């Protein structure tokens, strides 16, 4: 049986963009951090999990270079051309769509415009990777609609990650995208962003489950301490690397390096 939500958003797409043409429905989950918050960019190991909420997209390929987007969350429609992907003040949430497209075109993927209806049941600014989920879903949809399917999940995650960070003001992590593309049901995702090594950890509690609760406490990534902490770590790494050229990341430091750090 097709879930009612799927039927509803496909119907809504056709109301906005017309009945003609084949449409496809895509989904990308959000993610939650279990352990390793804020150390992935310093070479640390993280444990995350994909969750059952995420981003839905109904999309239809166009024969031209125009991209039309309707965002359910904002009750707004915006458009742009693949011939003009410069970021503008009026873009707002459209920067993610421009960023993903710009990144794919720069990498010489042969892609066309699309009509897209976007729906999400992820709350925004709650560390559940709502923007990464959006970019992951969009990246996969664009490539799939253009017949490009021979890309490994981790490589797809890299494409999505580069697309999101193209124009976004907040600092983001490859870990989010890797979890979204590679997470499994009832398993945790153990990942190192530097080495790209990963493994799956069993997380099946039987009749119990892990609950993710929305406290309605908003977090604006671009205004938070996240960006500041990341800059501080980057600066510390640069200074330490001057004294220790073979240092690959802050997490490679050992207790014996305490004197050297001073």
């Amino acid at each position: 049986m097709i879930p009612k939500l799927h039927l509803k958003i496909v119907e809504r797409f056709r109301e906005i963009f017309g009945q003609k043409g084949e449409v496809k429905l895509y989904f990308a989950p959000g993610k939650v951090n279990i352990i390793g918050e804020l150390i992935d960019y310093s070479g640390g190991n993280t444990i995350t999990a994909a969750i059952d909420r995420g981003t839905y997209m109904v999309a239809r390929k166009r024969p031209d270079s125009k991209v039309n987007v309707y965002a359910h969350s904002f009750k707004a429609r915006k458009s742009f051309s693949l011939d003009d992907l410069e970021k503008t003040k009026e873009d707002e949430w459209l920067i993610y769509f421009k960023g993903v497209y710009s990144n794919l075109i720069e990498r010489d993927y042969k892609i066309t415009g699309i009509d897209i209806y976007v729906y999400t049941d992820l709350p925004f600014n709650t560390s559940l990777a709502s923007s990464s989920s959006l970019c992951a879903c969009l990246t996969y949809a664009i490539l799939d609609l253009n017949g490009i399917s021979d890309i490994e999940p981790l490589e797809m995650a890299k494409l999505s990650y580069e697309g999101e960070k193209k124009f976004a003001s907040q600092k983001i992590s490859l870990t989010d995208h890797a979890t979204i593309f590679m997470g499994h049901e009832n398993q945790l995702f153990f990942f190192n962003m530097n080495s790209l090594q990963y493994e799956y950890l069993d997380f099946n509690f039987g009749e119990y489950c892990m609950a993710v609760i929305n406290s309605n406490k908003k977090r604006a990534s671009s205004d938070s301490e996240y960006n500041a902490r990341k800059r501080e770590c980057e600066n510390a790494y640069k200074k330490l690397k001057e004294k220790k050229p073979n240092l690959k990341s802050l997490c490679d430091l050992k207790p014996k390096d305490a004197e050297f750090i001073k």
Side-chain angles (χ1 to χ4, degrees):
M1 175 181 286
I2 301 176
K4 289 183 179 180
L5 175 61
H6 295 182
L7 293 173
K8 184 176 181 179
I9 58 179
V10 169
E11 179 183 358
R12 187 72 180 113
F13 173 94
R14 294 198 179 279
E15 289 174 357
I16 296 170
F17 297 112
Q19 299 293 322
K20 294 183 179 180
E22 179 187 6
V23 301
K24 285 190 172 184
L25 174 66
Y26 300 93
F27 173 78
K31 76 102 182 78
V32 64
N33 289 317
I34 307 300
I35 195 170
E37 182 83 26
L38 304 181
I39 67 166
D40 50 356
Y41 51 73
S42 291
N45 297 320
T46 60
I47 298 178
T48 57
I51 60 176
D52 58 358
R53 294 196 176 199
T55 303
Y56 297 83
M57 284 187 183
V58 180
R60 178 175 62 200
K61 184 179 179 181
R62 294 180 59 87
D64 54 25
S65 61
K66 190 172 184 180
V67 178
N68 299 311
V69 185
Y70 184 90
H72 173 271
S73 298
F74 302 106
K75 302 295 187 290
R77 178 173 175 170
K78 291 178 178 285
S79 300
F80 63 92
S81 171
L82 300 186
D83 300 319
D84 182 11
L85 293 172
E86 291 297 318
K87 180 181 177 181
T88 69
K89 293 180 180 179
E90 294 74 29
D91 282 340
E92 299 176 318
W93 46 267
L94 202 63
I95 60 170
Y96 297 109
F97 294 84
K98 284 187 173 182
V100 167
Y101 257 110
S102 180
N103 179 60
L104 293 176
I105 290 173
E106 286 176 1
R107 295 170 185 273
D108 294 326
Y109 286 101
K110 306 305 179 184
I111 51 182
T112 66
I114 52 178
D115 297 324
I116 321 167
Y117 179 88
V118 185
Y119 173 88
T120 183
D121 54 7
L122 285 171
F124 298 143
N125 302 321
T126 53
S127 297
L128 294 180
S130 58
S131 59
S132 297
S133 174
L134 170 69
C135 292
C137 197
L138 179 62
T139 299
Y140 186 89
I142 293 171
L143 294 173
D144 180 66
L145 287 172
N146 285 277
I148 304 169
S149 58
D150 56 342
I151 303 176
E152 294 296 323
L154 186 54
E155 291 305 312
M156 190 77 79
K158 292 179 186 178
L159 288 175
S160 175
Y161 167 68
E162 293 295 335
E164 180 178 4
K165 76 175 187 177
K166 186 77 178 179
F167 296 131
S169 58
Q170 72 270 24
K171 300 294 184 180
I172 58 172
S173 168
L174 175 59
T175 302
D176 293 355
H177 294 265
T179 305
I180 290 167
F181 276 103
M182 303 170 69
H184 291 172
E185 185 176 2
N186 293 327
Q187 289 187 317
L188 300 180
F189 185 63
F190 180 93
F191 183 66
N192 185 285
M193 199 168 79
N194 279 14
S195 68
L196 301 183
Q197 294 181 331
Y198 65 90
E199 62 179 285
Y200 294 97
L201 309 174
D202 183 56
F203 198 64
N204 189 344
F205 289 170
E207 62 182 282
Y208 299 98
C209 68
M210 179 178 70
V212 179
I213 300 172
N214 180 12
S215 66
N216 289 314
K217 174 65 175 177
K218 299 297 182 183
R219 178 186 68 85
S221 295
S222 58
D223 298 326
S224 72
E225 290 298 307
Y226 180 93
N227 288 358
R229 296 290 82 77
K230 190 171 190 299
R231 284 194 302 270
E232 290 168 356
C233 288
E234 289 171 346
N235 291 335
Y237 170 69
K238 289 178 182 178
K239 291 180 179 180
L240 291 171
K241 191 172 177 62
E242 291 175 0
K243 297 182 178 181
K244 193 173 183 178
N246 63 340
L247 183 66
K248 295 181 179 180
S249 69
L250 289 182
C251 285
D252 286 339
L253 293 169
K254 308 297 182 184
K256 65 182 181 180
D257 293 319
E259 285 302 316
F260 150 72
I261 294 172
K262 290 180 181 180

